[in-house]
């Protein structure tokens, strides 16, 4: 029995959304969150960019690091890795004064900022702990708006690399657990976002190759965002010809680049249209419906 793609995504505990900067990763994060919550899954959307923008799409107040409600069974949070690392120190060091001295020391801050893979593992570890119910709120699934392209792949690979290089101890055990979690396609899914332009498509192709090389796995879904609809066949008025010409050119570029993507990527591809809607909940609801038609 072939299970529809969206149904398979609903069963996962972590969905990592990545792609080139500016292609609409945050938009797709909100779209997936709405879809999962509507399907009955308690869903947390995690944003790691300190320049908060997810709240605009959801119609909520900025997170400021807190977990904010964004609808029925849906929450959003802007999460900074350093804050997660500090919380872990406070959890492991029961003496509050000593824990504060540790996290405020320049040596620890230098270590937290510079240790390879530590920040990435902190964010992924936070997601795992949320679905395990080890924080104040338990959710069924976390959708992570990951860093752009190569940084997103490095985030996913960090626990695997650390697990291979660190044996034993709390950090090694955490890396091993996360490594197994990320490598399990029944628990963790990857969605790559692109647009029908030369550079984003090339980066999407290279990201798929990078995931296969570093992790031995492919994304569950590729999403081509903001696709131009087919232009009208009738000739426009003279005053509208420049707009019609630009429209036709952009549509042709989209089709050419998505055809090139299709030569390399043989997995599921969803095309979401460029819609004349303001950035906000109305746009997200319209894209949810389109995504369901594409891969539901």
């Amino acid at each position: 029995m072939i299970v529809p793609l969206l149904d398979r995504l609903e069963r996962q505990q972590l969905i990592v959304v990545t792609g080139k900067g500016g292609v609409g990763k945050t938009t797709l994060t909100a779209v997936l969150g709405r879809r999962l919550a509507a399907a009955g899954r308690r869903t947390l959307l995690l944003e790691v960019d300190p320049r908060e923008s997810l709240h605009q799409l959801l119609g909520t107040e900025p997170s400021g690091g807190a977990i904010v409600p964004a609808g029925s069974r849906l929450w959003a949070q802007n999460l900074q890795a350093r804050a997660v690392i500090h919380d872990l120190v406070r959890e492991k060091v029961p003496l509050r004064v000593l824990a504060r001295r540790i996290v405020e020391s320049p040596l620890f801050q230098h270590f937290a900022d510079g240790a390879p893979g530590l920040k990435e593992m902190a964010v992924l570890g936070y997601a795992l702990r949320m679905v395990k119910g080890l924080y104040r709120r338990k959710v069924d699934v976390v959708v992570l708006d990951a860093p752009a392209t190569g940084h997103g792949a490095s985030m996913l690979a960090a626990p695997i690399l650390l697990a291979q290089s660190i044996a034993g101890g709390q950090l090694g055990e955490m890396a091993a657990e996360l490594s197994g979690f990320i490598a399990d396609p029944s628990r963790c899914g990857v969605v790559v976002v692109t647009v029908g332009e030369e550079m984003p498509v090339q980066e999407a192709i290279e990201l798929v190759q990078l995931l296969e090389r570093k992790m031995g796995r492919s994304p569950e879904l590729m999403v081509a965002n903001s696709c131009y609809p087919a232009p009208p066949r009738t000739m426009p008025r003279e005053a509208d010809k420049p707009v019609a010409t630009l429209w036709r050119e952009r549509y042709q570029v989209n089709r050419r680049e998505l055809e090139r993507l299709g030569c390399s990527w043989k997995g599921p591809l969803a095309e979401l249209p460029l819609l004349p809607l303001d950035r906000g909940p109305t746009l997200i609801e319209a894209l949810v419906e389109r995504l369901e038609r594409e891969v539901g």
Side-chain angles (χ1 to χ4, degrees), residues 23-262:
V23 298
K25 294 186 297 89
T26 305
T27 298
L28 189 66
T29 297
V31 169
L32 288 171
R34 287 287 186 210
R35 175 60 172 75
L36 292 166
R41 300 276 280 168
R42 291 171 296 178
T43 305
L44 174 65
L45 307 183
L46 281 186
E47 179 183 34
V48 295
D49 190 336
R51 302 168 299 176
E52 292 195 47
S53 60
L54 184 59
H55 67 96
Q56 299 169 353
L57 293 160
L58 299 171
T60 67
E61 294 297 319
S63 161
I67 297 176
V68 296
S72 178
R73 297 181 294 275
L74 184 63
W75 297 268
Q77 182 179 19
N78 185 273
L79 184 71
Q80 297 306 303
R82 177 180 280 194
V84 178
I85 295 171
H86 289 184
D87 286 344
L88 287 173
V89 171
R90 295 186 183 99
E91 178 185 315
K92 300 299 182 182
V93 181
L95 294 177
R96 185 176 301 178
V97 174
L98 180 57
R100 187 175 67 249
R101 287 181 179 177
I102 291 174
V103 299
E104 291 178 354
S105 71
L107 181 62
F108 177 81
Q109 292 180 19
H110 179 73
F111 168 76
D113 290 337
L118 183 60
K119 286 185 176 181
E120 292 84 354
M121 202 168 70
V123 172
L124 294 172
Y126 180 86
L128 177 57
R129 290 164 68 86
M130 286 296 298
V131 297
K132 291 176 69 175
L134 298 181
Y135 283 113
R136 293 180 299 276
R137 185 188 310 275
K138 184 183 185 302
V139 298
D140 300 314
V141 57
V142 173
V143 184
L144 173 61
D145 182 7
T149 310
H151 295 293
S154 297
M155 169 178 277
L156 287 167
I160 297 174
L161 296 175
L162 282 173
Q164 293 171 348
S165 58
I166 300 174
Q170 291 185 352
L171 187 59
E173 292 174 1
M174 179 180 177
E177 182 182 19
L178 274 175
S179 177
F181 178 57
I182 296 300
D184 185 351
S186 69
R187 301 180 69 194
C188 175
V190 180
V191 177
V192 176
V193 187
T194 187
V195 295
E197 304 285 346
E198 181 179 0
M199 285 302 296
V201 163
Q202 185 59 39
E203 288 203 19
I205 293 172
E206 292 174 359
L207 176 57
V208 171
Q209 296 170 347
L210 190 62
L211 288 170
E212 292 174 344
R213 186 170 67 252
K214 284 191 172 186
M215 302 181 59
R217 63 172 296 176
S218 298
E220 274 62 39
L221 173 66
M222 179 81 67
V223 175
N225 194 30
S226 299
C227 294
Y228 278 75
R233 296 182 178 180
T234 57
M235 287 296 293
R237 298 177 304 168
E238 190 68 28
D240 294 334
K241 280 186 177 180
V243 174
T245 299
L246 178 61
W247 185 350
R248 189 173 295 110
E249 289 175 351
R250 300 322 303 163
Y251 175 76
Q252 291 171 350
V253 168
N254 278 182
R255 300 329 305 167
R256 182 182 69 242
E257 290 302 321
L258 292 182
E259 182 178 348
R260 182 167 70 93
L261 176 63

